[in-house]
Amino acid sequence: MKKSHPLRRVVLAGAATVSGIVLLLSLKPSSDPGSAQAAGAGAAAQEAAQGGAGAAVSGAITGDASQTQYGAVQVRVTVSNGKITKAETVQAPKGGQSDQITADAVPKLNQAALTAQSADIDAVSGATFTSEGYKKSLQSAIDKMKASAGASQGAAGAAPVSGTFDGDAAQTQYGAVQVRITVSNNQITKAETVQAPKGGQSDQITADAVPKLNQAVVTKQSPDIDAVSGATYTSTGYKQSLQSAIDKANASAGAQGSGAQEGSKAPEAPKAPEASKTPEGSGNVQAGGTFTGEAVQTEYGTVQVRITVSGGKITKAETVQAPKGGQSDQITANAVPKLNQAAVAAGSADIDAVSGATYTSGGYKESLQSALDQAGG
């Protein structure tokens, strides 16, 4: 299981909100968010509008960040009555020649998304990697838009949302930022950072900025908070991860309206007693869908694992992030396939470290356990 008037932000409304939560941003796991589905991709906005008994989707929806060879690409769309009215990039490759390529390609891709109303758009010449990443993130945003339309059918009678929701880790120039929010009866009661830049001057900046950002979230009850002076990168990453956490909280509201258990992070989980977190290695995976573990920082880089679960079993394990550069490329290429295979075979995070890849293995197992926690295993 990332964002204000025309760009309407998702807010976890208080108890006085009309009949619970109005689902503007809903998260739905997608088995392949990068593929433009042949049936319906060209009419995604219309499908979203029709998904919920005449209720049309409106709001700002942020797609998942798509990693490319030159950096992450992440797209946000603004939707009004089921139609994409604006497309923009939250993240795009930067530095060196990437700056020029991004400056040329992104406006064209944004315009194409607006015209096509789908992720079925042409790549920009000379920006193949950026274009592919853009399309994947755009498809993810459209998936969420369609999920929101379907979930809105049950929103009127949804029970108030409560629980703890971890946003996706947002990569910044100085390190990853990840936010966790605690929600009680639709109110954000606590915001905290799971990850923040550290080392050297970053320690001082983080120590100053993070408490202010956390307080601002609780005060404003939205991701529409001001950046902390002197901590622009950390503030931006914080807001992206916060938006992702709010997306997941809203998705939980949609799941309740559809009969899922309170606090579930998997809108499509079967109707069964709420799955509790079990000890590492239990192999008791109960939910179905795609679950991305938390990004784990290691001495040589970040490791993040995504698992696909079907029928209570891990059917696929893959790495979203892994150490790279220099000798890390060879170690990653050797270790990751073995770790992925071991995860599927064991059905748990109780797997052996790969020889020569101790740090990567440790990070992999930690992120895998995080994904299993989300799946209820």
Side-chain angles (χ1 to χ4, degrees):
M1 24 223 186
K2 345 53 242 351
K3 273 170 187 88
S4 81
H5 282 75
L7 298 176
R8 185 174 179 180
R9 308 283 184 170
V10 174
V11 179
L12 291 172
T17 302
V18 179
S19 300
I21 280 186
V22 178
L23 293 174
L24 298 182
L25 300 183
S26 180
L27 179 66
K28 178 181 180 182
S30 173
S31 59
D32 185 5
S35 61
Q37 300 172 3
Q46 290 147 335
E47 289 178 8
Q50 296 165 2
V57 178
S58 294
I61 303 175
T62 305
D64 295 334
S66 175
Q67 299 298 324
T68 77
Q69 185 173 325
Y70 297 100
V73 181
Q74 189 172 30
V75 181
R76 178 192 296 133
V77 295
T78 302
V79 182
S80 179
N81 294 324
K83 182 178 180 181
I84 299 174
T85 58
K86 183 179 181 181
E88 55 189 320
T89 55
V90 180
Q91 298 184 69
K94 56 187 176 181
Q97 192 176 2
S98 291
D99 290 338
Q100 182 178 346
I101 294 172
T102 292
D104 173 64
V106 163
K108 295 177 181 177
L109 292 166
N110 288 339
Q111 183 57 50
L114 197 61
T115 301
Q117 293 290 304
S118 82
D120 188 14
I121 57 178
D122 293 331
V124 174
S125 178
T128 304
F129 290 101
T130 296
S131 298
E132 288 305 309
Y134 185 100
K135 291 166 69 175
K136 289 180 181 178
S137 183
L138 174 59
Q139 183 62 51
S140 170
I142 289 174
D143 287 345
K144 294 178 184 181
M145 179 173 69
K146 292 192 287 185
S148 179
S152 64
Q153 296 180 62
V161 174
S162 295
T164 302
F165 304 90
D166 288 354
D168 295 335
Q171 299 298 323
T172 76
Q173 186 172 328
Y174 297 100
V177 181
Q178 188 174 26
V179 180
R180 175 183 294 139
I181 57 173
T182 301
V183 181
S184 179
N185 293 327
N186 294 345
Q187 290 284 332
I188 301 175
T189 58
K190 183 179 180 182
E192 54 190 319
T193 55
V194 180
Q195 297 183 68
K198 57 186 177 181
Q201 192 176 2
S202 291
D203 289 338
Q204 182 178 345
I205 295 173
T206 292
D208 173 65
V210 164
K212 295 177 181 177
L213 292 165
N214 289 339
Q215 183 56 48
V217 174
V218 176
T219 301
K220 300 201 74 171
Q221 294 289 304
S222 106
D224 187 18
I225 57 178
D226 293 331
V228 174
S229 178
T232 304
Y233 289 101
T234 296
S235 298
T236 300
Y238 186 101
K239 292 167 71 174
Q240 289 172 7
S241 183
L242 172 62
Q243 182 64 59
S244 170
I246 290 176
D247 287 347
K248 294 179 181 180
N250 276 341
S252 175
Q256 292 175 45
S258 301
Q261 295 298 312
E262 179 173 350
S264 169
K265 293 185 180 180
E268 295 183 340
K271 296 179 182 178
E274 182 175 359
S276 59
K277 293 184 180 181
T278 52
E280 180 174 339
S282 67
N284 185 25
V285 183
Q286 297 187 24
T290 303
F291 304 88
T292 303
E294 295 177 3
V296 177
Q297 299 298 320
T298 76
E299 186 172 327
Y300 296 100
T302 305
V303 180
Q304 189 172 27
V305 180
R306 177 187 296 130
I307 58 173
T308 301
V309 178
S310 178
K313 293 183 179 295
I314 301 174
T315 58
K316 183 179 180 182
E318 54 190 321
T319 56
V320 181
Q321 299 183 70
K324 57 185 177 181
Q327 192 176 1
S328 290
D329 289 338
Q330 182 178 348
I331 294 173
T332 293
N334 172 60
V336 163
K338 296 178 181 177
L339 292 166
N340 289 338
Q341 182 59 43
V344 174
S348 76
D350 188 14
I351 57 178
D352 294 332
V354 174
S355 178
T358 305
Y359 290 100
T360 296
S361 299
Y364 184 100
K365 292 168 67 175
E366 187 175 342
S367 182
L368 173 58
Q369 184 60 51
S370 169
L372 286 167
D373 288 343
Q374 295 177 43

